Amino acid sequence: MFEIVERSEMAQGTIISNWLRAPKIAKKALPGQFVILRANEKGERIPLTVADTDPERGLINIIYMVVGKSTALFKTLQVGQGYMDVIGPLGQPTHLEKVGKVVCVGGGTGIAVMHPIARGLRQVGNHVITIIGARSKDLLILEDKMRAVSDELLICTDDGTYGHKGFVTDMLKKVLTENKDVGLAVCIGPVPMMKFCCLMTKEFNVKTLVSLNPIMVDGTGMCGCCRVRVGGEMKFACVDGPEFDGHAVDFDELTLRLRSYLAQEKLSYDQFKAAHGHNCACHT
Ligand code: FES
């Protein structure tokens, strides 16, 4: 068992952080890589980015949003309990190079994915401008951690309850207008956010990386579930990605593929909630 040694809830209990005992993964995981977890023998395999590592204590950090049956089941796991399987690190690590000035844009749990990437980009000598956003102040996560790995941190909320009122794309436009020397953008978050960030960076001709989250099963390039079209070619996000050139990704096809099992996912989640009644820790 991969034991949970620290657990916390963020964003009104909709986002959960676990530090797990996984010493081999903690030693090897690099920014951009992910793991696949199962809570128990019958559990679904869920890919989650390694949000942080503590190799000395042999721990890895995962951060996930409760969106369906499996993540609701994950949420019921407390300190001292754990996951039956955690495999990884999987996927290609982020290519970290010095380009000068970088803009990192994170939305929702994409901020957790962004954290090790922003830190890595800064460690190789880049000036990192980070933009993070959420619908409202109480849904914003990891502000302090992102501030610590950024030269400048800009915060946006859709409703204006914190930071600048508006979307991260508006702030991205402002940053790109004021900083003509940005050499790279990294945008990670919900698919529509990444799509619109990429349309924006294309206007400014700034190379852009995105981290994709298609449905995955094996995570090792064998099942084909995670295929995404990039530059007209079929790629497997689990082995070729999860990061790709955002200007070449077919986001519309990705959106359709992510919706393939919505009806089944909803049914499964409803049954889980009914079975767990009001004691279910997933009720938020
Ligand atoms: S998850 Fe099976 S090929 Fe990528």
Side-chain angles (χ1 to χ4, degrees), residues 78-151:
Q78 302 298 320
V79 170
Q81 299 178 303
Y83 296 84
M84 192 181 88
D85 307 319
V86 181
I87 59 162
L90 300 169
Q92 301 296 325
T94 308
H95 177 63
L96 298 171
E97 63 173 329
K98 185 172 177 182
V99 296
K101 198 175 273 186
V102 176
V103 183
C104 293
V105 188
T109 49
I111 299 171
V113 179
M114 182 65 81
H115 174 254
I117 296 171
R119 181 171 57 191
L121 286 166
R122 193 157 182 238
Q123 279 168 349
V124 297
N126 290 294
H127 179 93
V128 175
I129 303 173
T130 301
I131 304 168
I132 56 174
R135 271 181 289 135
S136 63
K137 182 181 182 188
D138 43 9
L139 297 176
L140 187 75
I141 64 168
L142 303 182
E143 179 187 345
D144 292 345
K145 285 188 92 165
M146 293 310 294
R147 193 180 300 283
V149 299
S150 308
D151 293 283

Side-chain angles (χ1 to χ4, degrees), residues 187 189-199 208-212 229 244-258:
C187 303
V191 174
M193 185 210 101
M194 293 193 285
K195 176 181 170 177
F196 287 106
C197 282
C198 288
L199 289 173
T208 304
L209 287 178
V210 292
S211 180
L212 302 185
R229 200 178 300 272
F244 294 101
D245 172 359
H247 295 159
V249 169
D250 185 336
F251 286 107
D252 295 336
E253 188 180 74
L254 174 63
T255 303
L256 285 177
R257 290 185 60 79
L258 281 167

Side-chain angles (χ1 to χ4, degrees), residues 39 43-46 64 68-75 268-269 272:
E44 187 185 9
R45 297 161 64 90
I46 300 293
Y64 59 89
K69 176 189 168 181
S70 293
T71 43
L73 178 61
F74 283 8
K75 186 179 174 181
S268 175
Y269 192 16
F272 180 86

Side-chain angles (χ1 to χ4, degrees), residues 36 215-227 236-239:
I36 289 188
I215 294 169
M216 288 190 187
V217 179
D218 66 299
T220 56
M222 289 188 285
C223 70
C225 264
C226 66
R227 58 192 185 276
F236 288 174
C238 67
V239 288

